Amino acid sequence: MKQLEREKLEKEKRQRLLIDNLMFTDAPAEEILESHHESQKLLEQEATEKANKKAAMAPARDMASQLGHQTTFMPIPKKVEVLYKYEESIHDSLGPATPSLDDIKHKGYLRHMRSASAADRAGGYESSIGCMKALQSAVEGLFLSLPKSSSPVISNSPSIESSEEMDISP
């Protein structure tokens, strides 16, 4: 259907071109008609060559289908994957347990916290979250015990003994 429409449009275009050439060029009409006929013959030859190429390719496709050679694709293997499952993280603070959020809200811990502004609450912040963070930081590592063989403080700065040996006179 589209090919027929294209052919009609091309034919009309060639006719308009012929009429324009006859009306607006100074060349003799016989030469214009002759060149028009030659160009039409070339177009027809190209069309027959294309049709011959398609016809030559068709038997090869038909032969392959007659011999049973069909293009089939293997199915894509399906992977069965486990969906994400939330597991609460276990955090050993090496200190006493911090109170729960309910305890923080109901036992007066929030009296010492700045109340959250409207902008803070819009961002998801609550005073109880800040209080929980402060309490966790305070008790983190309170029960930490180092082995007796290791030194508790490791520093790259000179110690007091070494500064006495240094000459610091003005």
Side-chain angles (χ1 to χ4, degrees):
M1 189 78 162
K2 291 181 181 180
Q3 188 176 8
L4 292 174
E5 291 175 8
R6 282 187 209 143
E7 289 176 4
K8 279 185 179 182
L9 289 174
E10 287 177 16
K11 188 175 181 179
E12 288 176 10
K13 188 176 180 181
R14 284 185 299 232
Q15 285 178 349
R16 276 188 249 130
L17 183 65
L18 174 65
I19 292 170
D20 288 344
N21 284 342
L22 286 171
M23 289 177 66
F24 300 112
T25 57
D26 295 334
E30 292 86 24
E31 288 179 16
I32 294 173
L33 288 173
E34 189 176 315
S35 67
H36 176 72
H37 289 299
E38 287 176 9
S39 64
Q40 251 185 329
K41 285 180 186 178
L42 286 174
L43 288 174
E44 288 175 7
Q45 286 177 355
E46 289 176 6
T48 55
E49 287 175 6
K50 285 182 183 179
N52 289 340
K53 284 182 182 179
K54 285 183 182 179
M57 294 296 285
R61 280 187 241 129
D62 291 339
M63 178 89 94
S65 64
Q66 288 173 0
L67 293 174
H69 297 289
Q70 296 178 355
T71 54
T72 57
F73 298 101
M74 297 293 293
I76 298 172
K78 294 181 181 178
K79 291 184 180 179
V80 178
E81 296 181 8
V82 178
L83 298 177
Y84 175 77
K85 182 182 176 186
Y86 173 75
E87 294 179 11
E88 189 171 340
S89 63
I90 299 170
H91 178 71
D92 186 14
S93 67
L94 300 175
T98 55
S100 67
L101 283 173
D102 289 334
D103 289 344
I104 289 173
K105 288 179 183 177
H106 299 296
K107 291 190 176 180
Y109 287 96
L110 295 178
R111 283 183 289 167
H112 307 288
M113 292 293 296
R114 176 182 63 89
S115 61
S117 66
D120 293 337
R121 285 191 302 275
Y125 175 79
E126 294 179 10
S127 297
S128 58
I129 295 172
C131 185
M132 174 68 89
K133 183 178 177 187
L135 287 171
Q136 284 174 344
S137 296
V139 299
E140 183 78 30
L142 284 179
F143 296 156
L144 177 67
S145 61
L146 295 174
K148 294 186 183 198
S149 64
S150 66
S151 61
V153 177
I154 299 172
S155 175
N156 291 337
S157 63
S159 63
I160 296 173
E161 295 93 19
S162 63
S163 66
E164 291 174 7
E165 297 171 4
M166 298 171 86
D167 186 20
I168 312 178
S169 61

